[in-house]
Amino acid sequence: MADWTPSYTPPLPRRLARSARGLLPLTVWLACATLVVWLGLFEDRRPAIVGIVSSQHASIITPCSGRVTAVTTALHQQVAQGQVIARLDDTELLLRLTRTNQELAILRAEIDKEKADIAAQTGRLENKRNLDATIERRRRTTSVASARLAGLATRAEIEEVRIRAQGAAIEADRIASLTEQGLASPSRLVQLRTLKEALQKRLTELEKVHRQQGERTKMFAALLAEFQPQPSAPTTVETSLTPMRLKVQKQATELEQIEHQRQQLLLRAPIPGQVTELAVTEGEWAASGQRIATIVASKPNGIVAYIATPHSAWLAGATQLEVRTPSRAPLGTTIVRSVSPTAVRVPRRLWRDPNAPEWATAIELAPTGRERPGDLVHIVHPGSS
């Protein structure tokens, strides 16, 4: 008698799952084939030219030679327009400011001497008819000169405090960065910030005093202009004060020159963007005319595309062109700004053969605002096929 083995029939869901696993590879293959056919039918086959997104570059050049006392930015850092990138040594400028203050002190002494001469002359002219007019004119003239000198002295002190305040602010920023890195003591940072606040307070007080002195100068000048001397009043007062007035003008010019040079020592970013080159470090000597940093604008300012000269007719009648990524993703539309009159050398990154330079017609296009500086883009003629 033969052996009998009982038979087993799987349930219906399991049998359907096995059938689906067998049909899955065939389904995937059919889906891929359908996608390839669809891409072949709807692919954008319009011809395109390649362009490079350009941006504005700015170099920071030292106006004079000197030692770099502070570098306030780092490589690849974003900076704003007018932001201080570095500062040159201002020791010589401070010495000139000291010398200017000394010359102001000399002028004060000369004015005091002139006052003494007026007092002596008053004794000699007390019996003359025009004594009162002469003394009054000289007194008013001396008051104007004294008020102007006081204003210049206050202005010189304002410039000195401003330079010290800016130096303290830059040093505080530098110490703050070092403190975050654990390389400086927090007490030093607190000390610098306290000094900065004190200098700012002193600067505010001096500016208020300077405004008051300006009002006093105007008042004394008005009193001098209103003065009506006697017909017989001597005219030697104006002549005696001429040298001091010339010296006052010289000191005013010197203070303006110091302010101009102080601004030149602060090397600022001419445009907003990213620091792509930083050629100096703190304590390094910089020569006059040396490029210490390069800034590239964050936003593109144009697109430069290149097209072979025989195909320049491709641009005929094109009012707007499409801008796309290398993967044909749309970025927007653009217009032609200019076309080079002759063929130009194509950038090396666009050469088909790295050893064979290429020449083509350059086309400058307006950016769409969605590109990034340095990216490659494709320019497509809307009406081409």
Side-chain angles (χ1 to χ4, degrees):
M1 184 177 179
D3 294 335
W4 177 81
T5 302
S7 61
Y8 170 74
T9 302
L12 180 60
R14 182 173 299 179
R15 286 181 301 185
L16 291 177
R18 289 179 181 177
S19 300
R21 284 197 298 269
L23 294 176
L24 182 60
L26 179 59
T27 304
V28 173
W29 184 86
L30 290 175
C32 292
T34 303
L35 179 61
V36 170
V37 172
W38 184 86
L39 290 176
L41 291 176
F42 296 97
E43 180 184 6
D44 189 356
R45 297 181 179 274
R46 292 177 295 175
I49 58 175
V50 181
I52 300 177
V53 182
S54 61
S55 61
Q56 184 180 3
H57 291 66
S59 298
I60 299 178
I61 308 297
T62 54
C64 59
S65 58
R67 191 171 303 280
V68 179
T69 58
V71 178
T72 60
T73 57
L75 192 62
H76 306 305
Q77 179 179 340
Q78 291 288 337
V79 295
Q81 184 175 3
Q83 180 176 339
V84 177
I85 303 298
R87 189 183 73 173
L88 298 179
D89 186 15
D90 57 356
T91 303
E92 182 179 357
L93 190 63
L94 291 176
L95 292 176
R96 287 183 56 191
L97 186 60
T98 302
R99 184 172 65 251
T100 303
N101 287 331
Q102 292 174 351
E103 293 177 357
L104 284 174
I106 293 175
L107 285 177
R108 292 195 191 97
E110 291 180 356
I111 289 181
D112 292 340
K113 181 178 180 299
E114 186 68 18
K115 290 180 179 180
D117 292 341
I118 292 175
Q121 189 176 5
T122 300
R124 292 192 300 267
L125 298 177
E126 62 182 354
N127 296 324
K128 295 182 179 181
R129 186 177 52 185
N130 59 351
L131 175 62
D132 294 338
T134 301
I135 294 176
E136 181 63 19
R137 171 179 284 276
R138 298 191 67 175
R139 185 185 67 80
R140 297 187 183 191
T141 304
T142 304
S143 298
V144 172
S146 300
R148 289 177 179 174
L149 284 174
L152 285 173
T154 304
R155 180 178 173 182
E157 187 175 358
I158 288 174
E159 296 301 328
E160 181 179 5
V161 173
R162 185 175 295 161
I163 291 174
R164 293 178 58 195
Q166 290 181 347
I170 293 175
E171 182 66 14
D173 293 341
R174 188 178 70 85
I175 294 300
S177 177
L178 294 177
T179 303
E180 293 177 357
Q181 300 174 11
L183 301 178
S185 173
S187 60
R188 175 60 177 166
L189 178 60
V190 173
Q191 181 181 3
L192 286 173
R193 288 178 175 173
T194 303
L195 175 60
K196 174 185 174 183
E197 294 174 356
L199 290 174
Q200 290 293 341
K201 182 178 179 181
R202 177 58 179 166
L203 184 61
T204 303
E205 295 174 353
L206 289 174
E207 288 175 347
K208 180 180 179 180
V209 172
H210 188 259
R211 288 192 297 268
Q212 294 174 351
Q213 290 173 341
E215 295 297 330
R216 286 175 56 85
T217 302
K218 292 180 181 178
M219 180 188 67
F220 289 140
L223 292 176
L224 179 61
E226 294 172 357
F227 179 71
Q228 297 294 333
Q230 296 292 334
S232 60
T235 59
T236 58
V237 176
E238 300 293 334
T239 304
S240 62
L241 290 178
T242 298
M244 283 191 295
R245 287 181 176 176
L246 293 177
K247 290 180 180 179
V248 169
Q249 295 176 0
K250 179 182 178 181
Q251 293 303 108
T253 304
E254 180 71 14
L255 286 174
E256 292 177 358
Q257 185 178 7
I258 291 176
E259 170 63 17
H260 176 68
Q261 293 183 351
R262 183 185 66 83
Q263 292 295 333
Q264 285 187 327
L265 294 180
L266 298 175
L267 306 180
R268 303 177 182 272
I271 60 173
Q274 185 181 47
V275 180
T276 59
E277 180 186 6
L278 196 59
V280 294
T281 57
E282 186 174 335
E284 184 178 348
W285 179 267
S288 178
Q290 178 180 344
R291 184 177 64 187
I292 67 167
T294 301
I295 299 175
V296 177
S298 303
K299 297 183 178 180
N301 66 344
I303 301 174
V304 180
Y306 299 89
I307 184 172
T309 304
H311 300 88
S312 297
W314 180 79
L315 291 172
T319 57
Q320 284 191 336
L321 300 174
E322 296 182 6
V323 182
R324 295 177 175 269
T325 64
S327 61
R328 295 295 179 132
L331 294 176
T333 58
T334 182
I335 59 174
V336 178
R337 288 178 174 172
S338 63
V339 179
S340 63
T342 59
V344 299
R345 186 185 178 94
V346 178
R348 180 182 293 271
R349 63 186 293 192
L350 299 181
W351 294 356
R352 289 185 291 269
D353 184 353
N355 299 321
E358 298 182 14
W359 297 78
T361 300
I363 306 169
E364 184 183 359
L365 307 167
T368 65
R370 299 176 60 185
E371 310 92 344
R372 295 182 305 178
D375 284 353
L376 295 180
V377 294
H378 287 185
I379 309 300
V380 180
H381 195 303
S384 61
S385 58

